[in-house]
Amino acid sequence: MNKRALIVGIDQYDTYPSLSAAVSDAEAMADILSKNGDESPNFGCRLLTSPGREAVTRANLRRNWRELFDGFRGDVLFYFSGHGAPTEVGGFLATQDAAEDDPGLAMEELVNMANNSAAKTVLLILDCCFSGSAGNPAALRNGNIENKAILREGVTILTASRPAELSYEVGGHGVFSNLILGALKGGAANVRGHISAASIYAYVEAALGPWDQRPLSPMRSILSPFELFLRLCRMNYCEK
């Protein structure tokens, strides 16, 4: 199989407030990615959840990141639903063992792994607060160059929020994840049944009403003609 996906959902934290929709969203994402519309195999999915069979600690998630990218030349997808944390050095994905002074793993570490991997394509989907920090380092933002990304050709990021924004759950789902799932179930498919990151963005933008917070347009970094960063914003309900 030339496609692999690591799907992570964290509802239960050791010290952070619990969430209610991250695990169910991750399970739904793994289910829909594992097979095509005709039931043929699609992504080979590995699912990590908290609560779950093993704790989603910093060490465990980093090990799984390495295994996800190690020597693989096909298509890679990483999905995360849980808490995000801002720091002076950039955004972090909060692992189950997150602490006030050590929230988890840096989004920049994930992006560096993706950029340095041999994978043909990489899609990172981050459903957490402050997820817009991914690929958008503090050095760029401090220079008032926000919503730009340092990404190699073939790497795409879809995020639930800007670097300083919150993301939310409502009705048993993350608003962002619910829209992504709708897109993957066929809402973003073209006439041949194919779905791309750009079509997912277009689907989400069309799904939001005229009074809702709007997703940002796809933007290319000024640093490279190949650097693509897609931003998706969400409505204001229960924050993650």
Side-chain angles (χ1 to χ4, degrees):
M1 185 174 292
N2 64 350
K3 297 180 180 180
R4 59 169 61 163
L6 176 61
I7 313 296
V8 179
I10 305 178
D11 278 337
Q12 181 177 296
Y13 283 84
D14 296 345
T15 60
Y16 276 28
S18 295
L19 296 171
S20 60
V23 170
S24 59
D25 282 342
E27 291 172 340
M29 195 68 65
D31 181 64
I32 198 168
L33 288 171
S34 65
K35 56 185 180 296
N36 294 303
D38 61 1
E39 300 298 320
S40 61
N42 192 9
F43 281 85
C45 295
R46 178 180 294 180
L47 181 64
L48 298 179
T49 63
S50 173
R53 291 184 299 176
E54 53 183 312
V56 189
T57 60
R58 300 176 196 86
N60 189 19
L61 182 55
R62 180 178 284 118
R63 176 177 60 81
N64 275 275
W65 279 355
R66 289 172 178 163
E67 293 176 0
L68 176 67
F69 292 110
D70 187 27
F72 189 68
R73 296 184 177 274
D75 299 320
V76 168
L77 185 148
F78 174 72
Y79 168 86
F80 178 87
S81 181
H83 282 300
T87 73
E88 293 181 354
V89 295
F92 277 66
L93 301 181
T95 50
Q96 183 177 337
D97 54 347
E100 183 177 356
D101 60 346
D102 193 359
L105 297 183
M107 297 177 193
E108 185 175 359
E109 180 178 349
L110 171 63
V111 173
N112 287 340
M113 285 188 178
N115 281 336
N116 294 327
S117 73
K120 179 182 178 182
T121 67
V122 180
L123 176 59
L124 308 177
I125 304 176
L126 306 180
D127 189 357
C128 61
C129 294
F130 317 110
S131 51
S133 297
N136 188 10
L140 289 182
R141 299 198 302 278
N142 291 341
N144 295 318
I145 310 176
E146 190 172 331
N147 304 320
K148 303 293 182 181
I150 305 175
L151 303 175
R152 71 162 172 86
E153 183 178 9
V155 177
T156 303
I157 307 176
L158 300 178
T159 71
S161 60
R162 293 184 176 92
E165 285 186 332
L166 304 178
S167 55
Y168 305 91
E169 296 180 337
V170 60
H173 287 282
V175 176
F176 175 76
S177 288
N178 200 35
L179 291 171
I180 295 291
L181 288 167
L184 294 175
K185 288 176 181 177
N190 62 18
V191 293
R192 301 179 62 186
H194 296 163
I195 296 172
S196 67
S199 68
I200 293 173
Y201 170 87
Y203 173 87
V204 173
E205 183 179 51
L208 294 174
W211 293 98
D212 296 325
Q213 187 174 347
R214 309 301 298 168
L216 297 181
S217 300
M219 302 182 69
R220 291 189 180 275
S221 169
I222 62 173
L223 303 178
S224 164
F226 301 119
E227 293 159 1
L228 173 65
F229 202 55
L230 300 179
R231 302 286 186 196
L232 298 175
C233 309
R234 49 196 319 187
M235 298 177 290
N236 300 333
Y237 291 95
C238 178
E239 70 183 64
K240 297 178 92 171

